C-alpha cells in the first residue's frame, strides 16, 4: 500500500551521441520498473511537464542508454499497482555535440607547474576549465 521509494544517485554522462543514465537500485519488494522522462529545462523541472523517453526499464536495471539531448532526464520507480514514487530524481546536461569531437589543444604559457587534477566544461566560462594542484 506504500508508494515506491524515490530513486537516488541518478546521473547522466554523455558518451558520443548517447546519454548514459545510471542510478542506485530501489530495494522495494513490489518494484515493477522505472520510468524515465525528459524535459528541455535544466532547472525547475516538473515531472508532469516532461515527456516519456523510456516507459519501462526493468526493475533489475541500474542504467540505460538513451539519445543525448540538452535538458534534464527524470526518473521514478513504479510498483506493480502502477504507483510512482513521490519525487522524481533528475539530472541535466547541456552537452550533445561531443560526437566526433577530437579537441586537441596545447597550452604553452604561462609556464604551468603542478599536476593536472581535472578538466570540466563550464558554460559560464564558455568552454573547458583545467585545474592544477
Amino acid at each position: 500500500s506504500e508508494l515506491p521509494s524515490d530513486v537516488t544517485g541518478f546521473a547522466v554522462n554523455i558518451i558520443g551521441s548517447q546519454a548514459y543514465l545510471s542510478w542506485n537500485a530501489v530495494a522495494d519488494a513490489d518494484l515493477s520498473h522505472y520510468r524515465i522522462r525528459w524535459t528541455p529545462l535544466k532547472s525547475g523541472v516538473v515531472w508532469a511537464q516532461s515527456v516519456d523517453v523510456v516507459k519501462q526499464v526493468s526493475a533489475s536495471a541500474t542504467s540505460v542508454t538513451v539519445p543525448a539531448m540538452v535538458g534534464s532526464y527524470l526518473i521514478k520507480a513504479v510498483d506493480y499497482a502502477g504507483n510512482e514514487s513521490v519525487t522524481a530524481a533528475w539530472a541535466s546536461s547541456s552537452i550533445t555535440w561531443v560526437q566526433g569531437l577530437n579537441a586537441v589543444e596545447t597550452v604553452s604559457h604561462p609556464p604551468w607547474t603542478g599536476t593536472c587534477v581535472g578538466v570540466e566544461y563550464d558554460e559560464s566560462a564558455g568552454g573547458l576549465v583545467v585545474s592544477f594542484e
Side-chain angles (χ1 to χ4, degrees), residues 94-95 97 101 103 119-130:
S94 60
I95 302 173
W97 45 267
L101 180 66
V119 177
E120 63 182 300
Y121 177 78
D122 184 336
E123 190 170 340
S124 65
L128 299 177
V129 176
V130 179

Side-chain angles (χ1 to χ4, degrees), residues 66 89 97 131:
V66 298
W97 45 267
S131 302

Side-chain angles (χ1 to χ4, degrees), residues 4 12 17 19 25 46 49 80 92 94 97 99 106 111-112 115 119:
V12 58
S17 63
V46 177
Q49 295 175 350
Y80 287 108
S92 65
S94 60
W97 45 267
Q99 183 175 13
T106 302
W112 304 106
T115 303
V119 177

Side-chain angles (χ1 to χ4, degrees), residues 11-120:
V12 58
N13 291 292
I14 304 300
I15 302 169
S17 63
Q18 299 294 305
Y20 177 77
L21 307 175
S22 60
W23 59 90
N24 298 330
V26 170
D28 296 1
D30 63 342
L31 179 67
S32 169
H33 61 277
Y34 298 97
R35 185 173 177 190
I36 298 175
R37 303 189 94 184
W38 174 84
T39 177
L41 301 175
K42 291 187 275 178
S43 64
V45 301
V46 177
W47 180 261
Q49 295 175 350
S50 59
V51 295
D52 284 316
V53 175
V54 184
K55 285 188 178 184
Q56 290 191 335
V57 177
S58 170
S60 62
T62 56
S63 66
V64 68
T65 303
V66 298
M69 298 180 280
V70 171
S72 298
Y73 297 90
L74 302 90
I75 187 170
K76 282 190 175 188
V78 182
D79 66 16
Y80 287 108
N83 300 312
E84 297 176 343
S85 31
V86 175
T87 305
W90 62 279
S92 65
S93 174
S94 60
I95 302 173
T96 61
W97 45 267
V98 295
Q99 183 175 13
L101 180 66
N102 185 15
V104 177
E105 179 70 27
T106 302
V107 180
S108 59
H109 77 84
W112 304 106
T113 59
T115 303
C116 177
V117 294
V119 177
E120 63 182 300

